[in-house]
Amino acid sequence: MECPVVKAWRILGRPWRLVIIERLLHGPRKFNDLLWSMPGISSRTLSKALRELEELGIVARKTEGRHVYYYLTEKGRDLAEVVEAVRKWAEKWMPPRAAEQ
């Protein structure tokens, strides 16, 4: 039987996934809003990550007129405690870079 941590890491350990989930915890977002909120990610990488998260049932999208919004499903919202635990750990153990001070 595969370790649950390994199974979760295969999903959450991919680049940008936890960041996307964290951004969507604050509510539905349009693609460009997500893109602008994550400096360093390319539109291609974001598109691929969103598609993969949709396939996993963590993210869904809704069309309203000409706008497409991405939001977390129940499965995605259930990761809120994971994201918060990672945030708290980073705040405690990851010193800020000089440029961020």
Side-chain angles (χ1 to χ4, degrees):
M1 178 163 59
E2 187 175 30
C3 170
V5 174
V6 172
K7 287 169 64 172
W9 186 250
R10 285 195 180 132
I11 293 170
L12 302 175
R14 307 273 316 250
W16 296 102
R17 286 188 176 180
L18 272 181
V19 179
I20 293 167
I21 292 164
E22 187 274 333
R23 297 303 192 267
L24 292 176
L25 281 169
H26 303 288
R29 308 277 296 264
K30 291 188 251 180
F31 182 88
N32 282 335
D33 293 337
L34 285 169
L35 186 64
W36 294 327
S37 75
M38 295 185 288
I41 191 171
S42 70
S43 60
R44 181 176 180 201
T45 299
L46 177 57
S47 180
K48 181 180 180 196
L50 286 168
R51 189 170 44 253
E52 291 170 349
L53 289 168
E54 281 185 82
E55 291 170 4
L56 292 164
I58 294 170
V59 168
R61 63 181 154 163
K62 179 168 87 171
T63 303
E64 291 183 8
R66 298 179 3 191
H67 301 287
V68 176
Y69 292 89
Y70 293 90
Y71 63 95
L72 293 175
T73 63
E74 180 181 358
K75 186 176 181 179
R77 289 188 306 274
D78 210 27
L79 289 165
E81 289 181 33
V82 173
V83 171
E84 186 58 25
V86 170
R87 179 194 322 279
K88 285 181 180 178
W89 181 87
E91 288 172 349
K92 181 176 181 177
W93 295 105
M94 306 287 296
R97 292 188 227 165
E100 295 173 313
Q101 294 180 355

